[in-house]
Amino acid sequence: MFKYVKQLTSLVAMVAVLFAFTTETMAAKKSKTLKNTQKKGFVRCGVSQGLPGFSNADAAGNWTGVDVDVCRAVAAAVLGDANKVKFTPLSAKERFTALTSGEIDILSRNTTWTLSRDADIGLTFVGVNFYDGQGFMVRKDSGITSTSQFKNGISACTNIGTTTELNMRDFFNSKGISYEPVAFEKADEVVAAYDSGRCDTYTTDKSGLAAQRTKMTNPDDHVVLPETISKEPLGPVVRQGDAVWEDIVRWSLNVMIEAEEYGINSANADMMKTSENPQIKRLVGSEGELGAAFGLDNDWSLRIIKQVGNYGESYKRNIADTGILPDRGPNQIWTKGGLLYVPPAR
């Protein structure tokens, strides 16, 4: 009898442990942000106030860009429709407050990943969707072809509340050059000030310079100097405290990058279901149950690829074909000499 009771007690204990583990696992799959997003029926995405190639609205209010596509990928994954996104244009100064306050759930706005931003203000960067660096643009008729020609008293236009301000200060101080900062909150204000001649140079990320140059009265009158003065890894950001939502956004971007690596695109994704490559089959949902890790169905990644495309398609559509930066440079996948390298979806 004692032996029986002892065995029964052990069995109950094992069941209790198993139940506790299962409950904990199920709880880990729950996401308040995901639940609220599915209830609302759209993803709340913070973007720039207009940066061609990254996040820019046309006259009809349709948003396009590589940053926009990150949010569209998340919408495809969690709502089944990449178009179910509400875009909120934000200045550099406003962007982090909008995210921490709950006004938006993803910030995908050409934002540099730094230690202080990642650790100090309750945010988490989930990846890099564009490797960049800060540079300077000048007028061709200035005769300046290098930053080594900058002189004391030079005026520089830039944005308030960005790493650009700090990098600019560090650069000029390290060179012993006195300068006059001309800073504005809105990007279009910076462009207008530089274009009107209020400052001698315009400094921001090089991708931004290439994009904003298209807005100048005479784009061909301006040139981006060859020097790069900083590292600017740009990527999407979420609030800390919702690990499942964080993973969903991270892996939505990763799927786009890895799909390009394996040659999966919006046109052939369905056909790839019969591939003999297990990694390809996992990416298109015909093998494994990766969606369960987020509380999603198994077609979540297939929808991203079919509706938004792989990273290469997004880059071509938004940046290369628009003439902003035809050469992908470091934003090529690693198998072709670039820096884009993500963990495997398995």
Side-chain angles (χ1 to χ4, degrees):
M1 185 68 168
F2 175 76
K3 182 178 180 181
Y4 172 76
V5 171
K6 186 176 181 180
Q7 290 177 337
L8 183 60
T9 302
S10 298
L11 179 61
V12 170
M14 289 175 62
V15 171
V17 169
L18 179 61
F19 177 78
F21 175 78
T22 304
T23 302
E24 183 179 349
T25 303
M26 290 177 64
K29 301 294 185 292
K30 292 181 179 178
S31 165
K32 182 179 179 181
T33 309
L34 174 59
K35 181 180 179 181
N36 289 341
T37 297
Q38 291 174 330
K39 184 176 180 180
K40 290 186 182 75
F42 57 85
V43 171
R44 301 186 302 173
C45 178
V47 291
S48 76
Q49 293 168 316
L51 183 63
F54 289 81
S55 52
N56 199 48
D58 63 17
N62 299 309
W63 286 88
T64 57
V66 293
D67 286 341
V68 166
D69 281 349
V70 171
C71 290
R72 295 182 66 242
V74 174
V78 305
L79 299 173
D81 187 344
N83 294 318
K84 291 184 175 180
V85 185
K86 177 184 177 183
F87 295 103
T88 301
L90 299 164
S91 69
K93 186 178 180 181
E94 299 169 326
R95 55 185 164 175
F96 298 127
T97 301
L99 183 57
T100 56
S101 69
E103 180 183 349
I104 59 174
D105 296 317
I106 306 172
L107 177 65
S108 190
R109 189 206 173 281
N110 55 293
T111 298
T112 303
W113 187 350
T114 68
L115 184 152
S116 57
R117 288 175 172 177
D118 199 32
D120 278 356
I121 53 178
L123 305 178
T124 296
F125 282 78
V126 298
V128 176
N129 72 327
F130 199 90
Y131 287 95
D132 210 345
Q134 186 171 330
F136 293 89
M137 180 160 58
V138 297
R139 295 170 188 80
K140 287 182 180 178
D141 62 13
S142 69
I144 297 174
T145 58
S146 168
T147 58
S148 64
Q149 297 171 273
F150 284 171
K151 304 296 184 183
N152 285 331
I154 188 171
S155 55
C157 280
T158 194
N159 277 99
I160 293 171
T162 63
T163 55
T164 303
E165 280 188 293
L166 305 178
N167 294 334
M168 176 179 67
R169 182 193 64 193
D170 290 347
F171 171 79
F172 283 118
N173 288 345
S174 70
K175 301 295 183 182
I177 300 173
S178 62
Y179 72 102
E180 177 191 353
V182 183
F184 300 88
E185 182 175 340
K186 296 182 179 179
D188 282 347
E189 293 174 337
V190 183
V191 173
Y194 168 74
D195 199 23
S196 67
R198 286 189 59 184
C199 39
D200 303 313
T201 184
Y202 172 22
T203 182
T204 189
D205 300 340
K206 280 190 166 183
S207 63
L209 293 175
Q212 301 292 26
R213 180 174 170 271
T214 65
K215 295 182 179 180
M216 303 292 174
T217 304
N218 297 297
D220 291 341
D221 291 347
H222 307 270
V223 61
V224 178
L225 299 180
E227 291 86 359
T228 301
I229 68 168
S230 70
K231 295 182 295 183
E232 306 293 328
L234 312 178
V237 195
V238 297
R239 283 184 301 279
Q240 287 180 359
D242 192 330
V244 175
W245 183 253
E246 175 186 326
D247 282 339
I248 289 171
V249 180
R250 174 181 295 112
W251 285 97
S252 293
L253 171 60
N254 287 356
V255 161
M256 293 180 66
I257 295 172
E258 193 168 22
E260 181 183 7
E261 178 182 338
Y262 284 96
I264 314 169
N265 58 48
S266 56
N268 68 15
D270 277 327
M271 292 183 286
M272 288 292 194
K273 290 181 179 181
T274 58
S275 169
E276 295 182 0
N277 186 324
Q279 185 59 27
I280 291 176
K281 295 177 77 171
R282 284 190 288 269
L283 281 170
V284 297
S286 61
E287 182 173 302
E289 295 183 357
L290 297 182
F294 314 125
L296 302 178
D297 63 22
N298 218 40
D299 285 337
W300 68 281
S301 52
L302 177 64
R303 289 194 296 270
I304 291 174
I305 301 168
K306 289 178 64 175
Q307 296 182 28
V308 184
N310 65 35
Y311 180 88
E313 289 180 277
S314 178
Y315 188 102
K316 184 177 186 298
R317 179 171 63 240
N318 294 298
I319 298 179
D321 288 352
T322 55
I324 295 171
L325 286 172
D327 183 2
R328 286 176 62 171
N331 294 294
Q332 185 60 266
I333 57 174
W334 69 282
T335 54
K336 295 182 179 180
L339 297 179
L340 292 183
Y341 179 105
V342 296
R346 62 175 306 140

